[in-house]
Amino acid sequence: MSVASVRRAARESVAGLPREFWWLWTSTLVNRLGAFVATFMTLYLTLERGYSASFVGLVVALHGLGGVVSSLVAGVLTDRLGRRPTLMVAQASTAFSVALLGFMEHPAAIAAVALLVGMTSNASRPAVQAMMADIVRPEDRVRAFALNYWAINLGFAISSMVAGFVAEYSYLAGFLGEAALTLVCAVLVYLKLPESRPERTAAEKAAAEPEPGLGTVLRDGRFMGVVGLSFLISVIFMQGSFGLPLAMGEAGFSTADYGLVIAVNGVLIVLLQIPVTRFIEHRDPQKLLVISALLAGYGFGLTAFGGSVWSLALTVCVWTLAEIVNSPTQMGLVAQLSPTHGRGRYQGMYTMSWAVASLIAPLMAGYTIEQFGAAWLWGATAALGTVAAAGYWLLMRGLPEVPAPPAFEARGAGGSAPGNGAAPATPTAASGA
């Protein structure tokens, strides 16, 4: 491939997305560059504080529980207060709680603040995803979600390396560094992002149409089916962080071996997320989700046959490809199924599926490996992937297609015209216009 074709592909990958999206993308990248607590919580509590594995498990579970609680609350606030205020409050409170956690010494205080960190750090997700659905045209959303997911992984990859050196010097410096970068995100939102919540039309106001509540979300059978499938897929993917290190440890591999194997996941996402998204962007989402579910389930299933670092790395390649395809496609589907004035609640329910999975996945991994052996865990992931694939195939039958995009030349390089329910991002002083 020539240099010119690479440049053209890169330009087309980022063209047509509004300026507000790129400020939101920048905020995501900065936020993930400061990811210290999620990466080093276990090592901090065991090596620095000397707590037992059972206490560490409790703290991690409380952190996850906080995310479950805040998903729904933040979703409601995103619709009622707006995306911008919810995002600013979530990020400012995350900065405060992360900094506070670094100073806690009593076990009860550590557990309580860890719960608070879980609540605040997860509260921004429904607002970010709803705002992205507001400001990006429907035909561009898969690409936009993929770019945002790429920023998450790029930031996390860089922060993991830097934070490792910081932790050797001072864990407290890591906590304060994450707090500072999260506060920078809040400032970016305040200065550069306008409120994007769509206003009700005159016809909607005249009809006194009520806002969708949580009951509306729960009664939406197709959407709740997607939430359930998201939970299954999340449980599968999270075995890369929970089941894989446990199984490799039991098989006699070192922590360095695990680090090498799991690094393949981050490297492939950074290298392949954008080109793969260009390939799948306007293809049938039903087929993409079915294929990604099977690749995820059987990719982890192949781990049962991995007897070396390199064979395990190959299995990571399989389920990483599934992750690259599934994440933006599924988030695009969630945005498509969410009503304009209920996006916050719908995104909150979707976010909750990942939060609940973060509680279930480690329990599933630990119990299955201890009681039956690692092979049974990998067999279970293959079964879950098969169930998820069948679920996607059934749920998406008859789903209306997203309108095909206009020609690239007609879009221009910086167009931000909304369409099909995507509200325009009106320039204000906050956006720098």
Side-chain angles (χ1 to χ4, degrees):
M1 182 179 289
S2 66
V3 174
S5 62
V6 171
R7 287 178 178 174
R8 183 173 62 254
R11 184 171 60 251
E12 292 180 0
S13 294
V14 301
L17 296 171
R19 178 183 55 189
E20 290 79 7
F21 165 79
W22 291 110
W23 284 116
L24 191 60
W25 183 91
T26 302
S27 175
T28 296
L29 179 60
V30 172
N31 182 273
R32 297 313 296 169
L33 285 172
F36 183 85
V37 173
T39 308
F40 289 93
M41 173 76 83
T42 299
L43 292 177
Y44 167 70
L45 293 176
T46 53
L47 300 181
E48 181 76 2
R49 294 294 186 180
Y51 288 113
S52 65
S54 59
F55 177 75
V56 174
L58 172 64
V59 171
V60 173
L62 287 173
H63 184 274
L65 179 62
V68 174
V69 173
S70 68
S71 296
L72 295 180
V73 175
V76 173
L77 293 177
T78 295
D79 283 336
R80 289 189 175 179
L81 299 182
R83 285 62 158 138
R84 186 168 175 261
T86 301
L87 192 51
M88 285 192 297
V89 170
Q91 291 176 335
S93 56
T94 299
F96 170 76
S97 58
V98 166
L100 184 64
L101 182 60
F103 291 99
M104 294 297 100
E105 295 187 359
H106 193 279
I110 291 174
V113 177
L115 174 66
L116 179 63
V117 171
M119 293 177 65
T120 56
S121 61
N122 204 60
S124 62
R125 294 181 182 179
V128 168
Q129 292 167 359
M131 180 176 280
M132 204 170 297
D134 293 338
I135 64 180
V136 175
R137 297 178 303 179
E139 63 268 20
D140 291 329
R141 284 176 186 157
V142 169
R143 179 159 54 101
F145 283 123
L147 286 166
N148 196 63
Y149 193 65
W150 182 79
I152 290 172
N153 283 277
L154 177 63
F156 186 76
I158 296 173
S159 71
S160 296
M161 292 185 291
V162 175
F165 292 105
V166 173
E168 289 185 1
Y169 167 73
S170 168
Y171 278 95
L172 178 59
F175 285 108
L176 296 179
E178 177 169 350
L181 286 173
T182 307
L183 199 57
V184 169
C185 294
V187 173
L188 275 176
V189 171
Y190 176 75
L191 293 176
K192 295 297 183 180
L193 285 173
E195 176 56 60
S196 67
R197 181 178 57 175
E199 296 295 333
R200 287 181 171 272
T201 64
E204 289 171 333
K205 291 177 179 178
E209 181 182 338
E211 285 190 0
L214 287 177
T216 306
V217 183
L218 293 172
R219 289 191 295 271
D220 189 333
R222 191 194 295 265
F223 180 79
M224 289 306 298
V226 171
V227 170
L229 294 173
S230 169
F231 168 75
L232 293 182
I233 289 293
S234 302
V235 169
I236 294 173
F237 283 134
M238 287 179 184
Q239 297 311 324
S241 299
F242 300 116
L244 184 58
L246 286 175
M248 289 184 66
E250 282 206 345
F253 291 98
S254 67
T255 54
D257 291 333
Y258 170 70
L260 179 63
V261 168
I262 201 63
V264 173
N265 174 251
V267 170
L268 286 181
I269 289 176
V270 171
L271 293 178
L272 299 181
Q273 183 71 68
I274 293 177
V276 170
T277 300
R278 279 179 52 78
F279 178 74
I280 68 171
E281 185 176 2
H282 301 299
R283 298 181 185 273
D284 184 356
Q286 182 191 48
K287 292 179 181 177
L288 292 174
L289 289 171
V290 169
I291 292 171
S292 67
L294 292 173
L295 285 175
Y298 288 93
F300 275 101
L302 289 172
T303 308
F305 305 100
S308 67
V309 168
W310 298 112
S311 60
L312 290 170
L314 287 175
T315 68
V316 173
C317 292
V318 177
W319 58 260
T320 297
L321 180 59
E323 186 180 355
I324 289 171
V325 173
N326 180 273
S327 180
T329 306
Q330 185 164 252
M331 286 189 286
L333 174 62
V334 170
Q336 182 183 353
L337 294 176
S338 305
T340 301
H341 301 293
R343 283 178 181 148
R345 291 174 173 86
Y346 273 68
Q347 293 289 354
M349 187 66 71
Y350 170 68
T351 300
M352 190 184 71
S353 68
W354 285 82
V356 174
S358 71
L359 290 176
I360 300 299
L363 298 176
M364 172 184 170
Y367 179 80
T368 304
I369 291 176
E370 183 177 340
Q371 296 295 322
F372 306 104
W376 283 87
L377 176 65
W378 308 130
T381 60
L384 289 177
T386 304
V387 171
Y392 282 125
W393 182 77
L394 290 171
L395 278 173
M396 296 185 66
R397 289 185 302 175
L399 184 69
E401 294 184 5
V402 174
F408 173 76
E409 291 77 14
R411 277 208 311 251
S416 60
N420 223 26
T426 305
T428 66
S431 68

